[in-house]
Amino acid sequence: MTNGKFVITGLAALLLAPGPAFAQGSEPYAPAPYVRFEHAEWTHDAVIYQINTRQFTAEGTFSAARKHLPRLADMGVDIVWLMPVHPIGQVNRKGGLGSPYSVRDYRAVNPDLGTEADLRAFVDEAHRLGMKVILDWVANHTAWDNPLTQSNPEWYARTPEGAMMPPLGTDWSDVVTLDYTVPALRQYMTESLVYWVREFGIDGYRADVAGFVPLDFWETVRAEMEQVKPVFMLAEWEQRDLHQRAFDASYAWSWKNAMQRTVREGGAAAMRGYYAEQANTWPRAAYRMVYTDNHDQNAWDGVAEEIYGPAYAAAIALSFVGSGMPLIHNGQEADLDRKLAFFEKDEIVWQEGRHAELFRKLVALKTRQRALWNGEHGAAMVEVPSDAHEQVLSFTRGAAGERVFAVFNLSAAPRVVAFTRARHHGTYRDALTGEPMAFTPETTLALPAWGFRIFAEEN
């Protein structure tokens, strides 16, 4: 570490991910796989699309959102994540419409979004089009007027004075915290999660503030849902242990933070450091969800638009071709450039955005090129050193003959890049334009500010 920053040298600078895990063998020191369950096959190359149903259409309903599903399938989306679908609390409600994360009934549908039949029709249509649907689940807390506060008050955490309370350290005044030391609560919540899988065909969950809830609860839930069907579980948390028996994917908040630092300061150090940390400390079988935007974070948070704007396409592209499971937030393909209002109506204005075609091509590339698949199903990132090391991140993924070679100029100045190792030499096509490209020792690339090129090798 130099001046508080990691300096990547030696083997770690060459290989940004370790090799595959080995199964436990007869030798006492043989390494065992960290992740103890199998990812559903349909998650191996999956791309997630998040829908805020309230803001997704003028109507703000499942039925209106269902009309967009053919478009999402055409984009290549695999998993549709619906923000919470449950009725919203009235007591201590924030804003006019309240937070969808203030749940009044875990086994009902918010009538503002539609009926149970409407939700079933949405799920059925997504399945018909080859997509899966996951629900947002708020296990840690409920609305103040959730009937459980009256029927089972012993299920709630208390202040020293004995009062129900919002989660510690938050300003979530519209919700109260559950107490997971109570076995009956765990049983009720587990049965509720299984209910939507069994009765509505839901394919898994995004777990809100997953780290606020004990890990052994999630492990039990995973095992019980798998008795019904294979599921996909995404944790809104960043902790390795979540992946052992409970979650397929976790939030890569550190990817988002590294990208914002990159945009503010310029240079490849932050992203190179992220990928090295990922390779060194996280199991290969863990999917890390990477994104530029979601419902409570926007690419421009803390970064002026005139600074982030030119880098936005590069950030999107890196989320697809670097290691990670990419998320598309609703409206990104229509140039949504703000966080949508959380407690009021704030409809997305749909148009053919500047990056709509980029998203389509990147999803198709990820699906087509096995090297870019998620976790252990894809290939490690292998850095290709260049003479612009401080500004440029360049790497291959995949074995010779099936490699993807990507070069990102992570700076606000144009660069002509020469490569100092032969790890990428071969014949390729530009993955976005189809232009043929051969890389030899003499080949250089001219990249504009925040420019990038992605190449797929020809067999």
Side-chain angles (χ1 to χ4, degrees), residues 44-346:
H44 294 182
D45 64 345
V47 172
I48 306 173
Y49 188 96
Q50 181 188 15
I51 290 181
N52 182 339
T53 309
R54 175 191 289 173
Q55 317 296 21
F56 196 61
T57 62
E59 300 87 346
T61 63
F62 301 127
S63 294
R66 191 175 76 241
K67 298 174 183 176
H68 283 253
L69 288 175
R71 177 179 66 81
L72 299 185
D74 184 63
M75 282 179 65
V77 168
D78 302 285
I79 299 173
V80 177
W81 153 22
L82 292 177
M83 285 176 62
V85 301
H86 305 108
I88 295 171
Q90 295 283 347
V91 175
N92 296 330
R93 171 176 282 197
K94 290 188 174 185
L97 299 178
S99 166
Y101 293 88
S102 176
V103 176
R104 199 170 70 219
D105 187 342
Y106 285 103
R107 300 187 188 181
V109 168
N110 183 351
D112 293 340
L113 306 180
T115 65
E116 289 189 358
D118 294 334
L119 177 58
R120 291 181 194 275
F122 181 96
V123 174
D124 289 345
E125 177 66 0
H127 287 169
R128 186 185 72 80
L129 293 168
M131 296 182 288
K132 305 295 184 180
V133 179
I134 65 173
L135 298 185
D136 218 324
W137 195 264
V138 189
N140 177 69
H141 47 266
T142 76
W144 286 88
D145 50 348
N146 188 305
L148 298 176
T149 61
Q150 300 300 315
S151 64
N152 298 90
E154 72 279 8
W155 290 2
Y156 287 82
R158 303 282 174 165
T159 68
E161 293 74 30
M164 293 182 185
M165 62 182 188
L168 288 171
T170 75
D171 62 353
W172 304 344
S173 58
D174 56 340
V175 296
V176 282
T177 306
L178 291 163
D179 179 1
Y180 275 81
T181 66
V182 181
L185 165 63
R186 289 176 172 233
Q187 180 179 353
Y188 166 83
M189 194 65 72
T190 300
E191 291 173 351
S192 297
L193 283 150
V194 172
Y195 166 78
W196 293 94
V197 175
R198 185 184 63 243
E199 302 299 329
F200 287 75
I202 294 302
D203 300 292
Y205 294 94
R206 178 264 190 189
D208 184 61
V209 290
F212 282 18
V213 177
L215 178 55
D216 64 329
F217 166 78
W218 293 120
E219 292 175 343
T220 299
V221 166
R222 172 91 196 210
E224 296 208 16
M225 288 190 295
E226 292 281 353
Q227 297 300 311
V228 180
K229 63 187 292 190
V231 294
F232 169 77
M233 292 292 287
L234 165 64
E236 190 205 16
W237 208 249
E238 195 163 16
Q239 181 179 331
R240 183 175 62 184
D241 291 352
L242 293 169
H243 290 277
Q244 191 165 47
R245 291 182 174 87
F247 288 95
D248 301 86
S250 60
Y251 270 51
W253 283 316
S254 50
W255 188 96
K256 173 72 158 50
N257 294 338
M259 180 54 71
Q260 289 191 312
R261 178 183 156 197
T262 296
V263 174
R264 286 193 301 268
E265 301 174 7
M271 295 312 302
R272 185 175 285 113
Y274 165 80
Y275 288 118
E277 188 271 343
Q278 168 74 18
N280 286 327
T281 63
W282 290 79
R284 284 266 287 128
Y287 300 169
R288 306 301 316 289
M289 190 183 77
V290 292
Y291 61 94
T292 58
D293 301 74
N294 72 11
H295 65 276
D296 57 5
Q297 286 185 312
N298 178 264
W300 288 269
D301 288 349
V303 183
E305 183 173 353
E306 61 270 18
I307 298 174
Y308 207 133
Y312 191 48
I316 292 169
L318 187 55
S319 75
F320 277 82
V321 298
S323 63
M325 186 176 196
L327 168 74
I328 304 171
H329 177 49
N330 56 191
Q332 277 192 273
E333 70 274 38
D335 292 344
L336 181 68
D337 61 355
R338 69 186 190 281
K339 281 190 295 189
L340 295 167
F342 210 67
F343 310 115
E344 309 291 348
K345 180 68 173 174
D346 186 12

Side-chain angles (χ1 to χ4, degrees), residues 274-441:
Y274 165 80
Y275 288 118
E277 188 271 343
Q278 168 74 18
N280 286 327
T281 63
W282 290 79
R284 284 266 287 128
Y287 300 169
R288 306 301 316 289
M289 190 183 77
V290 292
Y291 61 94
T292 58
D293 301 74
N294 72 11
H295 65 276
D296 57 5
Q297 286 185 312
N298 178 264
W300 288 269
D301 288 349
V303 183
E305 183 173 353
E306 61 270 18
I307 298 174
Y308 207 133
Y312 191 48
I316 292 169
L318 187 55
S319 75
F320 277 82
V321 298
S323 63
M325 186 176 196
L327 168 74
I328 304 171
H329 177 49
N330 56 191
Q332 277 192 273
E333 70 274 38
D335 292 344
L336 181 68
D337 61 355
R338 69 186 190 281
K339 281 190 295 189
L340 295 167
F342 210 67
F343 310 115
E344 309 291 348
K345 180 68 173 174
D346 186 12
E347 180 188 341
I348 296 169
V349 177
W350 289 105
Q351 60 181 343
E352 183 71 9
R354 291 166 295 168
H355 303 302
E357 185 62 19
L358 176 63
F359 276 115
R360 280 190 285 269
K361 289 182 176 181
L362 289 170
V363 176
L365 175 67
K366 182 178 179 69
T367 303
R368 184 172 66 248
Q369 299 292 144
R370 191 181 184 94
L372 302 183
W373 288 12
N374 301 317
E376 64 185 344
H377 308 293
M381 295 172 66
V382 178
E383 184 154 8
V384 178
S386 77
D387 62 353
H389 179 82
E390 292 187 3
Q391 296 82 25
V392 171
L393 180 67
S394 49
F395 56 89
T396 64
R397 296 183 68 186
E402 58 183 24
R403 289 172 295 185
V404 172
F405 176 42
V407 187
F408 288 81
N409 177 15
L410 300 177
S411 73
R415 307 280 170 188
V416 176
V417 185
F419 303 96
T420 58
R421 293 290 186 276
R423 296 171 186 157
H424 63 301
H425 288 179
T427 303
Y428 298 76
R429 285 194 178 273
D430 187 299
L432 302 181
T433 69
E435 174 189 357
M437 186 75 180
F439 285 95
T440 69

